Each structure stands twice: as C-alpha cells, then as structure tokens.
Amino acid sequence: MLKQIGTYGENRKDEIKIKNAEFPAIFHAGLEFNAPVHGTWNIVHIGMQLPESIQIYVCAQNCMRGVVLTAAEMNAADRFSYVVLSERDMIAGDVEEITIRGVIDVLQKRQQLPRAVLLFTVCVHHFLGCDYNRIYRELEQKFPQIDFVRCYMDPIMQKQGLTPDQKLRRAILEKLPQYSSIERKLAILGSDFAYDTESGLFGLLRQEGCEIVQSRTCSTYDEFLQMAQAEVFVCVYPPAKIGTEQTAKRLGRTFFYLPASFDYALIERQAEILGNYFAVTTKELKNERRLAEEALDKAFSVIGTTPIAIDYTVHPRPLGLARLLLSHGFFVDTIYIDTVSKEEEADFIWLKEHVPELKLSATIQVSKRIAVRGRNKKVLAIGQKAAWFEDTPWFVNMVSGGNLYGYSGICEMTNLMTDAFLNPKDTKDIVPRKGWGCDSCL
C-alpha cells in the first residue's frame, strides 16, 4: 500500500513559528527534497580554485554525471578527468589497482602534467576497505613532480563527522609547505570569494604595511604555496575553519577565526583582535559603522515594510542578517532554513524573544515538492532558494556570503537589496545555474 510521506495543509510539518522551534534541529530528518536551485558551490567548483591543478574522479558511471556536467558547465572540462569503476572491478576486489592504473593512464595522455591532482575516491572505496595509502604511495612514486590531494566524493558520510566540503578545503590546505622564514603577511584561506582589502579592517592593515594575500586570488600554484610564508592565517568562511586552523598549527602560524557577520559587536571585536596583534589603531571603523547605519536607513526608505524572505544559502549567518534588518525596521517574515548553526544560537534566541511570529520554513522536507509557491504580493527575497520558494523576481542573487565582510559588507548588502527591489530578475533562468560567481557556459 502506498503511504503518504509528506503532508501539506493544516498538518504541514515544513513550517514553524520561531517561538515554537527548538535549537538547533528545527525539523524532523527524513526523506529529502532537493529544490532546483544550484547556485551554491559543490566540490568541483571548490577544487577548481587550486591553480594549475586537475581533478580526477574514480567512481561508477551513474555517479559521474553530476560532476562531469559541473566541470563542463563552468568551462573547465580540460581540467577534469575520470576513471569509471565497473561492477566487475568491484567484485574482483582490485579497485586499488584499477584506481592506480586509471590515474596513470589519464596523466600519461595529457600533453603537460599538472602541478597538482585532486584525486577523488568515492563511497565504493569506503565499502571495499581500499588501501588508500597504497594508492597514493604508488602514484607519488610514479609522478614525484605532482602534488596529489586526497579528496573524497562520499555523500554517505555527510551526516557524520566533517562534510565533504570541509574535508576538501582541509586537503587542499594540507599542501602548503613549511618555510624556514615567515613574512609580515596575513593570509585569508579557504574562502570561495575574494574580499575587499582596500577598505574596512583589511584596508587599515594594508595602510600600515601589512600585506594581505588570499587563496581565492592565487593565479599560479607557486602563489598558492607561498601563502604559507604568511605570519598570520585567517579564516572568514566557516567551512574552511577546521582546515585553516589545523594548517596553522602544523606550520606554527598564528590563527584567527574571524567569520563574516552582521553583528556590530563582533565586527568591532574582530577588528580589535587584529589591531592589537599588528599594533594598528582601528578607531576609523567607527566612521564605517556610521556609514552602515546610513546605508540601512537609505535602503529602508526604498523598501519600506515590503515582506522579506531570507534563505540559509545566501550567507552563513541568515539569522544574524534577519536580526540586523528587523532591528532597523524591515519586515522579515520568513527564513528558509533547516537547521541552525551553533554560531547563530544567540541570534536564534533574540529572534525567538523579539519576533516570535517569525516563520521558519524548511527547504528539504519532502512536502516542499508540492508546496504552493509565491504570494499575491511583492516579496523581496535574499538568496536564490528564497527566490524560488517565493516565486519572486525581486531577489538578491548571492551565495555563501559572497565577498561581504564587516561594515562595508553591510553597506553592500543594502545596495544589493535596493537593486533587487527595483530591478526584477529572470529567476527561472538564474537559479538553476551551478556555482554562482563561477564561469558558466549556460
């Protein structure tokens, strides 16, 4: 007998008012729905940031489709190769040998060897208990001039331990070497987007002679390796925290976790931390705070009390963004989110106390497949998933926080909101495209 697995109507379980929500898991875990919104980066996009590298995936043919298409869609098919594992390979028990021979074949067919290879093993390797050390040992002996990065495409593991995203960022940073001398530099590692270093906190440091380098802006593999000479390693984007911290510890560097946020107190505390370390005064940031307040007031004069929906893909701190906007008069009535991160617990508590009727709406509950999308009035969406669920052309098109940071990031967000409110976009054309900010052939 067929059994209904999702409900929609009076007994729906995919929406809840924040006053009734529990931290951190808001909704019951179960069969998941994947909305046709693909702007967030996947492991292919992340891996392509490493310059002068290629990616090789070793997996069954049915699993290859998504990663192949991602590479092709971002015009990077020349940096992508694969080794297909057949059922016979798995039964015969020689997956290690097939993996080694396949990778060697791929590399020998290339006109020029890459500086680094991101080798992705998969769930099958886990199931069969493959000897990873043997695979990498033989490949490194065969190609000593290549750095092999240990990567994993193992969605079966994503509900426990580190995510594939976190493991990939860590594996890439593990290639940073030890240098005998260090330089007065600050390295921003593991982010998907490059941050503005001409203004704000980073601008003040540069004015005082501190050089700032970013993994996102490296154009050669040598530039990437030379970041290890920096005296200070900084992580701004949460998924890169574990990798950056462990790399700093391995190399004996100073590490600071200074995540992007919309919290004035946190922004100023972060500035104080770096200012004290580099002996730089950060008093000028008070003027930037004033500019942020003016930008918020200006945006409100345009947007007013138009309903606003935010989703978790737009920024690592969607609740913090909601709190900022609500405290400045904006009418945020919906947040599309499935779980709340530990870093946003304080914002969750504040919203629960001050805006108890705020609606939290799931994005992966299976009932969302048949949910009615859109309203009979204008809605400003902040994020692609919010735009899709609200079926609105007025939306801020950004993922993972973009390049927003500090007070200047708040100003930029208000600019994006105002532009989105005044200039509708083609939602159906934009949100299916993979990897916002990446090159796309679509």
Side-chain angles (χ1 to χ4, degrees):
M1 176 184 295
L2 295 177
K3 180 179 179 181
Q4 186 171 348
I5 57 176
T7 60
Y8 196 82
E10 293 183 2
N11 297 320
R12 63 189 303 179
K13 298 180 180 180
D14 57 18
E15 289 187 357
I16 189 172
K17 292 181 179 179
I18 195 168
K19 65 181 179 181
N20 299 321
E22 297 294 332
F23 176 88
I26 305 170
F27 302 101
H28 174 70
L31 186 64
E32 297 182 357
F33 164 67
N34 184 22
V37 180
H38 304 294
T40 52
W41 289 28
N42 61 33
I43 53 178
V44 179
H45 300 108
I46 297 167
M48 289 296 180
Q49 292 185 82
L50 187 61
E52 298 184 78
S53 70
I54 68 168
Q55 299 180 38
I56 302 178
Y57 285 72
V58 185
C59 67
Q61 197 163 26
N62 64 308
C63 298
M64 200 72 71
R65 180 177 181 273
V67 286
V68 169
L69 287 177
T70 297
E73 289 165 6
M74 65 183 301
N75 290 313
D78 60 323
R79 296 178 59 197
F80 184 96
S81 298
Y82 57 87
V83 177
V84 174
L85 295 175
S86 68
E87 185 175 357
R88 191 211 67 81
D89 298 328
M90 301 174 201
I91 295 174
D94 58 352
V95 171
E96 290 99 341
E97 186 63 30
I98 295 297
T99 300
I100 294 167
R101 292 207 313 264
V103 173
I104 290 174
D105 184 59
V106 166
L107 292 173
Q108 288 181 335
K109 287 180 178 178
R110 294 185 64 87
Q111 293 183 349
Q112 182 176 353
L113 291 177
R115 294 290 302 278
V117 170
L118 286 81
L119 176 57
F120 286 83
T121 51
V122 297
C123 307
V124 168
H125 293 83
H126 284 301
F127 289 144
L128 298 179
C130 287
D131 185 348
Y132 293 101
N133 290 331
R134 177 199 165 194
I135 292 172
Y136 286 97
R137 181 175 62 251
E138 294 194 20
L139 289 174
E140 288 164 353
Q141 290 174 350
K142 179 71 175 179
F143 301 99
Q145 67 274 54
I146 296 176
D147 279 344
F148 286 90
V149 183
R150 299 193 179 199
C151 306
Y152 304 93
M153 184 173 69
D154 51 0
I156 61 166
M157 305 294 286
Q158 65 181 353
K159 295 297 183 182
Q160 56 182 306
L162 299 180
T163 66
D165 180 317
Q166 291 173 306
K167 287 188 285 189
L168 176 55
R169 295 175 198 274
R170 181 179 64 178
I172 291 173
L173 294 179
E174 284 174 349
K175 293 304 169 184
L176 291 179
Q178 181 66 269
Y179 283 91
S180 57
S181 61
I182 60 175
E183 301 176 359
R184 193 170 187 265
K185 291 181 181 179
L186 181 152
I188 305 173
L189 302 176
S191 296
D192 291 337
F193 301 96
Y195 301 101
D196 177 17
T197 59
E198 298 296 329
S199 62
L201 172 60
F202 298 135
L204 292 176
L205 294 178
R206 289 190 58 171
Q207 290 175 19
E208 296 299 323
C210 176
E211 183 179 352
I212 297 177
V213 293
Q214 304 186 61
S215 58
R216 187 65 183 90
T217 60
C218 293
S219 58
T220 68
Y221 192 64
D222 285 333
E223 281 185 28
F224 167 75
L225 296 179
Q226 289 164 7
M227 286 195 305
Q229 295 176 312
E231 178 182 347
V232 175
F233 287 1
V234 167
C235 175
V236 171
Y237 186 48
K241 179 178 183 289
I242 186 71
T244 306
E245 186 173 19
Q246 290 183 357
T247 302
K249 183 176 181 180
R250 172 174 61 86
L251 299 180
R253 302 294 187 264
T254 300
F255 168 75
F256 292 120
Y257 178 52
L258 306 175
S261 80
F262 301 97
D263 183 335
Y264 290 178
L266 180 57
I267 290 172
E268 293 178 9
R269 188 158 63 248
Q270 292 173 344
E272 184 179 357
I273 289 171
L274 280 186
N276 289 340
Y277 185 89
F278 286 104
V280 172
T281 179
T282 57
K283 292 181 179 180
E284 293 181 32
L285 289 181
K286 293 188 180 298
N287 183 55
E288 292 205 7
R289 176 170 177 165
R290 179 182 59 79
L291 294 175
E293 287 285 296
E294 292 176 357
L296 286 161
D297 291 341
K298 183 178 179 180
F300 182 77
S301 70
V302 176
I303 299 168
T305 57
T306 301
I308 296 176
I310 302 173
D311 78 64
Y312 74 93
T313 69
V314 76
H315 194 279
R317 299 204 174 192
L319 300 187
L321 174 57
R323 177 177 176 176
L324 173 74
L325 296 178
L326 285 162
S327 63
H328 285 79
F330 294 89
F331 179 43
V332 179
D333 68 352
T334 305
I335 301 179
Y336 288 91
I337 191 169
D338 300 290
T339 61
V340 180
S341 75
K342 178 65 177 175
E343 294 183 3
E344 290 217 282
E345 184 175 7
D347 293 316
F348 178 83
I349 294 172
W350 187 92
L351 292 170
K352 194 168 187 173
E353 178 182 349
H354 292 84
V355 201
E357 299 299 311
L358 176 67
K359 183 173 67 177
L360 304 181
S361 187
T363 70
I364 59 175
Q365 291 290 310
V366 70
S367 55
K368 283 296 187 179
R369 180 176 180 272
I370 58 174
V372 177
R373 298 189 296 115
R375 313 185 201 180
N376 294 321
K377 55 184 175 181
K378 185 173 184 177
V379 177
L380 174 62
I382 304 181
Q384 293 188 348
K385 285 201 172 184
W388 187 83
F389 282 114
E390 293 288 346
D391 195 21
T392 179
W394 296 285
F395 73 99
V396 173
N397 185 27
M398 186 177 73
V399 300
S400 304
N403 61 352
L404 307 188
Y405 193 75
Y407 289 127
S408 62
I410 292 175
C411 292
E412 179 60 20
M413 174 57 80
T414 63
N415 292 336
L416 293 171
M417 289 170 57
T418 303
D419 180 75
F421 183 82
L422 298 174
N423 302 297
K425 301 179 178 68
D426 187 343
T427 309
K428 291 182 179 179
D429 175 66
I430 293 173
V431 301
R433 300 188 182 210
K434 289 183 178 179
W436 178 87
C438 298
D439 189 23
S440 174
C441 68
L442 298 180

